[in-house]
Amino acid sequence: MHYRKTLITMASSALLFGLGYGPAGEVFAENADAQSAVKPAIKAEVRLIAQSGEASAKAKAEQELKKFKNLIDLQQKALSEKFKPGEIRYVYINDKEYHASPSSTLFASNSYRITYKTYDEYAEKYAAGNTAMPLRLQQQPEGYNLWIAEIAPYLSEKEKAKISNQVIAEGKASGKKIYVKKLQEKRTAVHLIYNMTSEKNGKRGVLGIIAEPAGPNDKTVESEPVMAQSEKLEVGGQEVIYTPIDNMEYKSVAWMNPQTRVNYIIRETRGHLTKEAMLALAGQIIAHYS
């Protein structure tokens, strides 16, 4: 049995696969080229880059999908056309033979997003005037360089799952080979994505620092659920949840600001930051909005 995936470029999952970007701060949408199907607890922001070196698997998939090139080209064309602010776009290939291929994807999606290539530009052009969702650092993470800062429309994990099912059902019933579904979303999320400046033990870590809106009834951070090994700690008067997953070389710190209803998540995979360093990063963000 093969495990088929959903093709997405929403938020940082696309940039972790190295998609092209224009000048810093340019608003645009790029063709989908990333495969991502991860459990909510292990987010794409800090995992996919470690998986993207599977060149042989990618080559095999490309070979298998050659016969569907026309359909895939139409899908990518629909994903690359101009986006309106807040738009999220889903594209479904309605072809049974295509979906019978182990290398096919359930559907593809892309969204409007604003990107910055340097932290200073992000801080000056976006974060400086954003009091609703403050995400600022006094010092950049040691041993890391910012890869990209991205502001994109936000959907919760539950909302994504619901819309995914809708896209597939509507696409199958549409009678169209290429089915396009467009949504407008006012909520946004902020992603700061960092790469380690050098390898450690043959690995190069990735760090994601995220701010996203909490749901009206959420009691904890929906996109980073509490696990058996999670610890409740206090940083700067704020309760945070620290979660290590050693066999995946993953760790996170997550918390909700109850006043602003903003969730914050710091995620690192295959990196060098200690628990204390992760908590210190959380402390910088908490101190800024306190």
Side-chain angles (χ1 to χ4, degrees), residues 58-126:
K58 183 179 179 181
K60 182 179 178 181
E62 289 176 348
Q63 183 64 31
E64 290 177 349
L65 294 176
K66 274 187 176 181
K67 64 187 298 184
F68 306 108
K69 183 180 184 304
N70 289 341
L71 288 173
I72 294 171
D73 286 348
L74 288 172
Q75 183 185 60
Q76 292 183 338
K77 182 177 184 295
L79 287 169
S80 61
E81 292 171 351
K82 187 176 180 179
F83 281 64
K84 296 178 180 179
E87 181 182 340
I88 304 171
R89 190 178 303 167
Y90 297 82
V91 184
Y92 178 81
I93 295 177
N94 189 18
D95 185 275
K96 290 183 179 180
E97 186 181 3
Y98 167 78
H99 286 288
S101 169
S103 300
S104 66
T105 56
L106 294 175
F107 59 85
S109 71
N110 203 352
S111 69
Y112 174 97
R113 52 192 193 271
I114 302 170
T115 63
Y116 303 98
K117 287 292 186 69
T118 69
Y119 179 84
D120 288 344
E121 186 175 31
Y122 155 78
E124 177 186 350
K125 294 185 177 180
Y126 181 80

Side-chain angles (χ1 to χ4, degrees), residues 33 37-38 41 46 58 72 92 105 107 110-111 119 121 137 147 156 233 248 252 265 271-272 279:
D33 189 29
V38 294
V46 295
K58 183 179 179 181
I72 294 171
Y92 178 81
T105 56
F107 59 85
N110 203 352
S111 69
Y119 179 84
E121 186 175 31
L137 297 175
W147 185 4
S156 70
L233 303 167
M248 294 184 177
S252 70
I265 311 102
H272 67 279
L279 295 174

Side-chain angles (χ1 to χ4, degrees), residues 238 256-262 289:
Q238 168 76 57
M256 177 194 295
N257 182 322
Q259 282 74 43
T260 60
R261 302 293 296 173
V262 174
Y289 67 65

